[in-house]
Every structure is written in C-alpha cells, then in structure tokens.
Amino acid sequence: MQFSERLIEEFLKSNLDDKKVRISADAIKMVAEIARLIVIEGATRAAHQAKTEGADTVSLQHMEKILAQLLLDL
C-alpha cells in the first residue's frame, strides 16, 4: 500500500498560506511514508481490537475504539 506522491503534494500545498513555498521531492516521500505507516498501524490495532472482541471482520467501530490512543501515540 502506498499513497500517490501527487496526492500528498496537493494535500500539503492546500494547507499552505504562502503559495511561493516549494516542497521538495524528499519531503513528499517522507510524508507519504509516514502516512503509510500510520494507516498500517491503525489497521493492525483495529484488527487486534476485532480479534479481542471475537469478531471475524474489522468494522468502523473497531477503528473508532483505537483511534484516540493511536493519535496520542503519534
């Protein structure tokens, strides 16, 4: 799984006030990798939560249960 570098670049640019700021290719790659790791960690924790509850599939409720702690751990 990976995020499109173009998507990451557009996301970063949309949150900048100064349109003259340039974002290096290395910075875009780093943000994409961090986003990928966060998604993997969230999916892993949600799967563990589902397993703990005896569920066969991961649902939105499992994601909601792990989200607060995931954000705190960042």
Side-chain angles (χ1 to χ4, degrees), residues 21-69:
V21 174
R22 293 177 52 213
I23 304 167
S24 72
D26 286 342
I28 293 169
K29 287 178 185 177
M30 186 181 341
V31 171
E33 179 63 11
I34 291 169
R36 186 184 74 82
L37 293 173
I38 291 169
V39 168
I40 290 171
E41 182 66 20
T44 302
R45 290 184 187 196
H48 179 72
Q49 180 69 34
K51 184 177 179 182
T52 300
E53 294 178 7
D56 292 335
T57 59
V58 177
S59 69
L60 181 58
Q61 287 75 25
H62 298 119
M63 287 297 297
E64 290 172 347
K65 288 179 181 176
I66 62 93
L67 188 57
Q69 189 61 49

Side-chain angles (χ1 to χ4, degrees), residues 8-31:
I8 297 296
E9 182 178 17
E10 290 301 317
F11 173 75
L12 292 172
K13 284 182 178 180
S14 71
N15 290 295
L16 291 174
D17 291 332
D18 186 358
K19 299 301 178 189
K20 295 179 184 178
V21 174
R22 293 177 52 213
I23 304 167
S24 72
D26 286 342
I28 293 169
K29 287 178 185 177
M30 186 181 341
V31 171

